[in-house]
Amino acid sequence: MDSFSSHSSMGSGSPQISAEDLKDQLKNQLAQAYAQEFLETVREKCFDKCITKPGSSLSGSESSCISRCVERYIEATGIISRALFSAPR
Amino acid sequence: MDPSSLNSAELERFLNQEKERAMVNEMVAKLTSACWDKCITSSPGSKFSSSESSCLTNCAQRYMDMSLIIMKRFQSMN
């Protein structure tokens, strides 16, 4: 049975939620999941690049490396995206 | 039509669209990770060198070329 075919199948007794609300919720959750994954990747990449020998505290050069690394990783994401979808092949 | 009702055709279209978007995002994320490892070998500077940015572009495009070859190779197996 098509579980999306009627409102009644969305759960009896639960408050009705509008189509737009459902879409917004889905989009928000997807965006949140994407952001979390992106953050985790950036952490991993920049830890590899910038914290090569963990000391007793984060040094100034390490923290400036981290901010540069984060900026470059975001830039790299844009470059890859353009290379795939807008560059002439 | 009741604007608040969600019919299955509309929901399916919406889900497919989001699925496609998610696949694109995943592809970009995966390639960025792989190409970052290949192209950015030194500690990241305040801007990319021209060789780093062209390496990233080439890396993504060659990956697509490779995918095509692999797909063709597997299609010819049956």
Side-chain angles (χ1 to χ4, degrees):
Chain A
M1 191 196 119
D2 185 345
S3 58
F4 296 120
S5 58
S6 73
H7 258 128
S8 57
S9 64
M10 308 267 279
S12 51
S14 66
Q16 295 255 319
I17 110 172
S18 79
E20 285 314 304
D21 285 351
L22 180 64
K23 286 184 184 177
D24 285 348
Q25 263 183 41
L26 255 166
K27 280 188 174 181
N28 279 339
Q29 279 179 16
L30 284 169
Q32 221 175 67
Y34 178 74
Q36 260 168 28
E37 204 182 299
F38 186 76
L39 220 66
E40 178 51 36
T41 309
V42 172
R43 269 201 292 266
E44 187 191 312
K45 298 296 180 186
C46 295
F47 191 74
D48 281 356
K49 280 266 185 276
C50 298
I51 322 289
T52 47
K53 278 187 184 155
S56 55
S57 70
L58 206 63
S59 74
S61 65
E62 281 169 338
S63 34
S64 62
C65 175
I66 291 164
S67 37
R68 274 180 276 126
C69 178
V70 172
E71 279 169 44
R72 292 294 77 70
Y73 202 83
I74 293 168
E75 189 183 346
T77 304
I79 291 174
I80 298 291
S81 179
R82 261 174 279 132
L84 291 182
F85 302 110
S86 60
R89 300 297 320 275
Chain B
M1 188 191 115
D2 177 5
S4 72
S5 81
L6 193 56
N7 61 55
S8 62
E10 191 200 346
L11 184 65
E12 198 176 318
R13 192 162 43 87
F14 172 75
L15 287 178
N16 281 335
Q17 181 190 311
E18 290 304 315
K19 204 188 282 178
E20 201 168 303
R21 213 192 298 270
M23 269 168 58
V24 166
N25 282 340
E26 201 181 305
M27 182 80 181
V28 171
K30 208 184 105 163
L31 273 182
T32 305
S33 169
C35 296
W36 172 271
D37 291 348
K38 280 205 201 295
C39 298
I40 316 301
T41 47
S42 56
S43 151
S46 51
K47 68 194 282 282
F48 279 139
S49 68
S50 60
S51 67
E52 283 171 329
S53 43
S54 62
C55 178
L56 288 170
T57 302
N58 290 337
C59 174
Q61 294 181 345
R62 294 302 77 74
Y63 189 91
M64 297 314 280
D65 292 345
M66 182 200 70
S67 307
L68 212 68
I69 292 175
I70 291 176
M71 232 157 67
K72 280 183 187 151
R73 179 66 189 81
F74 273 81
Q75 272 163 5
S76 67
M77 266 170 63
N78 54 39

